[in-house]
């Protein structure tokens, strides 16, 4: 299919792949470059218009999927970026850095494991030093493990899901708050799973509800500092999370087709929401959850 700029008017039903996906399994957290087909993160289509000029952004989970789409968009909107990911995802992180550096953007790579409290602190310190400040936190990293029977959900799995999806938000924000100026924006990544939880995602869906409560409470707590906090809640999006243990294999051939738009989303379709919430255009938007779901609305 011919790729038009993401912001050119076209039919959303046919804008991206309508077919389902071949079954495929990778080890967590997966490498997007090895996926069939490769998710569209806007590499060839996202066009920036200076909406984040001079901004300094840290993006967790920025190597692939939704985080990569946010990273590409932030950089093309004029921000310098630092990107966190796991060491096993070096291939995706390097291809991102290569793409953006060739366009003259500043990109710093900070690999490390967010389930480790000390690493979260280190990551913030390093991002702040490398970028010469910090004013956007896009906390997008997440873990999803599909289990159809609660008997199979081990304490280790629950702990990991909550450490990565929820605890790391506390650790990261605690370390970053003294550094963030008025006007800064924090964006978390929740999910439609917080509103319409699937039977195979007990711990994940619970963690995504926790993210929404965290986001709203934090927004109220730090509004007095002039810092906004919002969440993006995606629906079914084609990313490595879906093929590295996050989804049942049998669901891949029809993945996303039960939405009113009858297809899964591509990561680039989330980019605009992240840019809006990060930018000054959202100056009166805080404690909000922004759904990008293909029509299966939140609530
Ligand atoms: P993805 O696999 O591309 O991104 C998830 C990222 O999380 C990985 O790239 C990895 O870098 C990071 N990560 C996981 N465990 C980590 C750890 N221990 N330490 C550091 N980083 C770690 O998949 P995605 O779907 O783009 O996921 C991004 C966010 O979107 C996640 O929070 C996910 O829960 C959320 N989300 C995804 C969907 C979907 O359908 N894909 C739907 C709703 C919400
Ligand atoms: Mg990845």
């Amino acid at each position: 299919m011919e790729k038009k700029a993401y912001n050119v008017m076209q039919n959303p039903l046919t804008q991206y792949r309508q077919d389902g996906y071949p079954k495929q399994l990778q080890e967590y957290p997966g490498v997007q470059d090895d996926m069939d087909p490769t998710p569209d993160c806007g590499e060839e289509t996202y066009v920036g218009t200076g909406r984040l000029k001079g901004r300094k952004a840290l993006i967790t989970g920025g190597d692939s999927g939704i985080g990569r789409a946010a990273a590409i968009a932030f950089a093309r909107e004029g921000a310098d970026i630092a990107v966190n990911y796991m060491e096993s995802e070096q291939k995706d992180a390097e291809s991102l850095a290569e793409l953006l550096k060739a366009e003259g953007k500043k990109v710093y790579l900070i690999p490390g494991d967010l389930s480790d409290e000390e690493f979260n602190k280190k990551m913030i310190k390093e991002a702040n030093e490398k970028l010469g400040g910090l004013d956007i936190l896009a906390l997008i990293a997440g873990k999803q493990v599909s289990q159809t029977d609660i008997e199979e959900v081990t304490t280790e799995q629950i702990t990991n899901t909550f450490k990565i999806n929820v605890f790391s938000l506390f650790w990261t924000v605690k370390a970053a708050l003294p550094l963030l100026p008025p006007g800064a924006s924090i964006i978390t990544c929740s999910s439609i799973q917080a509103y319409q939880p699937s039977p195979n995602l007990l711990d994940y869906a619970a963690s995504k509800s926790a993210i929404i409560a965290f986001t709203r409470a934090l927004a109220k707590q730090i509004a007095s500092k002039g810092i906004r906090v919002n969440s993006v809640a995606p629906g079914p999006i084609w990313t490595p999370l879906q093929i590295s243990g996050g989804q049942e294999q049998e669901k891949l051939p029809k993945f996303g087709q039960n939405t009113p738009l009858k297809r899964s989303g591509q990561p680039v379709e989330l980019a605009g929401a992240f840019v809006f919430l990060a930018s000054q255009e959202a100056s009166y938007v805080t404690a909000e959850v922004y759904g990008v779901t293909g029509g299966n609305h939140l609530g």
Side-chain angles (χ1 to χ4, degrees):
M1 194 188 301
E2 186 209 345
K3 287 190 176 177
K4 296 181 188 161
Y6 83 103
N7 55 358
V8 168
M9 191 178 88
Q10 51 198 299
N11 186 342
L13 289 166
T14 52
Q15 185 166 352
Y16 294 99
R17 182 189 175 92
Q18 296 158 279
D19 298 337
Y21 298 91
K23 292 180 187 176
Q24 55 200 288
L25 188 59
Q26 288 187 36
E27 220 169 281
Y28 157 79
V31 170
Q32 117 160 12
D33 194 45
D34 298 339
M35 286 172 73
D36 173 27
T38 309
D40 186 343
C41 297
E43 289 87 346
E44 295 169 40
T45 55
Y46 190 90
V47 183
T49 53
R51 293 159 77 192
L52 299 176
K53 203 157 178 264
R55 301 288 299 270
K56 297 164 190 310
L58 168 70
I59 303 128
T60 68
D63 60 299
S64 61
I66 296 165
R68 183 183 179 99
I72 291 171
F74 285 2
R76 290 192 183 153
E77 295 290 352
D80 295 342
I81 62 169
V83 172
N84 163 250
Y85 54 95
M86 296 185 81
E87 275 166 18
S88 61
E89 299 171 301
Q90 193 66 23
K91 190 175 171 190
D92 282 341
E94 273 172 18
S95 78
L96 174 79
E98 212 171 284
L99 172 79
L100 294 173
K101 281 182 180 169
E103 299 171 11
K105 315 297 182 202
K106 279 196 186 147
V107 183
Y108 301 98
L109 299 182
I110 311 180
D113 189 339
L114 291 172
S115 65
D116 171 6
E117 180 172 1
E118 284 312 306
F119 172 72
N120 286 260
K121 296 181 197 165
K122 208 174 122 239
M123 171 182 72
I124 291 294
K125 190 164 174 279
E126 204 175 319
N128 185 56
E129 281 168 10
K130 289 194 163 146
L131 295 169
L134 207 49
D135 54 51
I136 299 169
L137 298 183
L139 306 176
I140 301 176
K143 179 165 173 133
Q144 174 178 320
V145 183
S146 170
Q147 296 284 9
T148 48
D149 186 345
I150 190 171
E151 292 295 341
E152 303 294 322
V153 183
T154 61
T155 299
E156 189 189 2
Q157 176 178 326
I158 304 165
T159 310
N160 268 332
T161 301
F162 273 80
K163 271 191 178 171
I164 297 161
N165 296 3
V166 183
F167 290 14
S168 81
L169 300 182
F170 284 86
W171 296 329
T172 307
V173 170
K174 276 168 75 172
L177 264 189
L179 308 169
L180 298 177
S185 169
I186 300 173
I187 310 165
T188 64
C189 190
S190 48
S191 171
I192 194 167
Q193 287 294 323
Y195 301 87
Q196 298 177 38
S198 300
N200 59 321
L201 296 175
L202 261 63
D203 54 323
Y204 176 80
S207 79
K208 291 290 162 177
S209 283
I211 292 174
I212 290 175
F214 171 85
T215 302
R216 288 176 165 158
L218 183 68
K220 292 175 195 168
Q221 185 179 115
I222 66 175
S224 58
K225 295 183 194 292
I227 299 172
R228 296 178 297 102
V229 192
N230 294 288
S231 194
V232 173
I237 313 297
W238 180 240
T239 70
L241 182 117
Q242 304 295 350
I243 55 94
S244 58
Q247 191 59 258
E248 292 167 66
Q249 285 286 310
E250 307 76 67
K251 295 216 176 132
L252 295 183
K254 294 204 159 178
F255 180 62
Q257 292 182 349
N258 67 348
T259 61
L261 290 178
K262 294 190 167 38
R263 61 171 177 83
S264 74
Q266 293 296 324
V268 63
E269 297 185 273
L270 280 294
F274 279 96
V275 168
F276 171 67
L277 293 172
S279 79
Q280 205 55 33
E281 292 163 40
S283 52
Y284 201 53
V285 181
T286 196
E288 194 55 80
V289 183
Y290 190 120
V292 183
T293 62
N296 285 340
H297 48 79
L298 311 177

